[in-house]
Each structure stands twice: as structure tokens, then as C-alpha cells.
Amino acid sequence: MNAGMSPLERRYRRLLRLLPATHRDARGEELLGLLLDLDHGRRHPSRHETLHLIALAVRLRLTTPVTTAALTTALSALLVAAGTQPAGSTLDLFTGAVLASDMPAVISGWPQTVALGLVPLAPLIAWLCGATRTALTLQAILLTATVGWFVIDALSGAGMGIDPGQLVFAYAIPVLIFVLLVIAGRERWTAPRPRLFWWALVPLGVLAWKGTGEWGRHGVYVHDAVPAVIGILAAAVVAVGAAFAVRRHRPAVILGVGLTGLVAGWLIPDPLLVTTAMRHFDGQPLPLAILITVLAATVAGVSHLARRHRSESRSLPPDEPVLG
């Protein structure tokens, strides 16, 4: 930076780095001049202008195409994983989770059981149909009912002995879905494409939850070495991907990023898989949502490459006839 720059300008320039590069290049100097005029005579940016600048940066970052695609994919994956869980558990309840001697009691109350299993699918279906505000309303109703149910149990003493950490983890996904739906309604987001892929995930998600019930009930568990292997593979993928991203195919880059990815791959997937997926997800939708996100990113990447290949093929001139 310029040595003659005032402390206020230097600090505001650092804050302006929060803005996307395109907006910073187009409006950065104009915005900087306005901020310097508003805080003239100060050595530090005022709290009011700092908060407004951070809010502007967050809003602009949320509207970039890459961020929008990532967040809508994550939202769709969370909706599929969380919405299909009750339906899968209900299917499992009628197809093996209960002993034959106890089935009459389950069958006698099947309308209520089936309804409770299908209702959480409503926000997902509304989101995939393009009704974002309807999905937000339905998610708010479900979240309110879930929290209200817990409060009633806590007041009656039925919720005694619940681990607070598990409680926070259980409510984190519904709250995150609600927050993302609020942003989606405000920014007019829609479900990512291809829609057929996401619609196909609805029955597949139900079957996945049914399968995890069968998996754990019959004592079939993955060996403890699997998370370590997945961590090493994740590290290798991160290393190669980073090397291509920075366009520097140097051993130092691959080695440095590979070691970082190895540590992250060892620390993050290992406890995540051991505590959730190794015990048939333990009723938590996050592992399934991560898996769906990876699949969706792969499908989107393949679709993008296919579209680009078709456009390049159409842009090529036709082959000239060979003169005999």
C-alpha cells in the first residue's frame, strides 16, 4: 500500500477486500471515498459503517453464481436427507423394524404414523416445484412444532437426561434449512438442475434410510480402517485438485497441500464416519447430505462438460468434401 496513506484509508481498504473482486474494481474507489468522507477525522472505521460494509460484502457474496450454485445444492441436499428420513423410518417400521408380535399395535395406528412420516417431505417437494416461499412456510411450521414438542416434553419431565450436545446437533440441520430457505426466498433462488436428478433422489433417499435401518439392525458395520482410507483418498483428491486450480504443477504445491489435506482428511472424516455412518448414520441426516452434495457436484460437472462439448462441436465448421 501507499506509504502516505492515512490509517483510516488503510483500514478501509482492508475491509473492502471482503467485497467480490468485480464489485471492488468497479465501485471500490467510489465507495472508499464515500466512507472516508463519512468518517473524516477518525483513525479507525466507525462501527456503523463497518457493519454496513460487512453486510454488503455478505449480500454480494451470496449473489455470485458460484456461491448461489453451492448454497442451493447444499440446501437441496439437506432437504432430501432430512425430509426423507421420517419416510424411510416409517417404511422400515412396517418392513422389519418391529417384531411380528408387536405389529398389531403398529398397524392399528398406521394413518397417524404414515402421515407423520410423509409430512416432512412437504418442504422438499415445494422447493423442487419452485415454490420457495411455500417451502419456507412449511419448514417454519415443522420447526415450530418440533421445538414446541421438545419444550412440552421438557416441562413434563420427559426430556430429562438428554445430552445438550446431541440436542444442538439434532436441531442444527432444521434450523440451517430454515435459514437457507429465508435467504433463498429473499434472493429468489431456485432448485438446481437437473431437476430429474433431484426428484429421483426423493425415493432413493427413502430407501437409503430404510437400508441404514436394516444395516444396523443386522449388525453389519464397516471396518474401523475405512474412515482412515477415505481420509487418505480425500487428501489425494484435494492435493491434485489444488494443484490444477492454482495451475502450478510443482511437487512443492502437491506435497504441501497433500499434507494439509491428509491432516484434514484424517481428522474430519474419521470421527464423522465413526460416530454417524459407521452406526447407520445414528439418525443424523448430515452424512447423507454430504454424500448427496458430492453426487450433485459430480452430476453438475459432467453436465457442464457435456454442454460445453456440444457447443464446441456445433461451432466447428463442417468438414470440407474430399476432392477426387
Side-chain angles (χ1 to χ4, degrees), residues 182-203:
V182 170
I183 300 174
R186 182 180 181 86
E187 301 297 334
R188 300 183 183 277
W189 290 348
T190 57
R193 298 181 181 277
R195 297 288 178 84
L196 182 61
F197 168 78
W198 291 101
W199 280 110
L201 284 178
V202 177

Side-chain angles (χ1 to χ4, degrees), residues 277-304:
M278 297 302 103
R279 295 186 300 178
H280 53 279
F281 296 166
D282 201 22
Q284 300 297 334
L286 183 58
L288 183 59
I290 294 174
L291 176 61
I292 292 173
T293 302
V294 173
L295 292 176
T298 303
V299 171
V302 172
S303 300
H304 175 72

Side-chain angles (χ1 to χ4, degrees), residues 30 39 45 54 62 80 107 113 117 135 146 167 239 256 269 297:
E30 178 185 350
D39 284 348
I54 294 174
L62 289 176
V80 171
I107 294 175
T113 304
T146 304
L167 185 64

Side-chain angles (χ1 to χ4, degrees), residues 50-116:
T50 300
L51 292 177
H52 272 71
L53 185 59
I54 294 174
L56 175 64
V58 172
R59 180 175 177 80
L60 291 175
R61 292 285 182 182
L62 289 176
T63 56
T64 60
V66 175
T67 305
T68 300
L71 290 179
T72 52
T73 300
L75 172 58
S76 302
L78 289 171
L79 279 170
V80 171
T84 57
Q85 179 185 0
S89 301
T90 302
L91 177 62
D92 190 37
L93 181 66
F94 287 95
T95 57
V98 179
L99 297 175
S101 58
D102 298 328
M103 280 302 296
V106 175
I107 294 175
S108 63
W110 74 266
Q112 297 89 342
T113 304
V114 173
L116 290 175

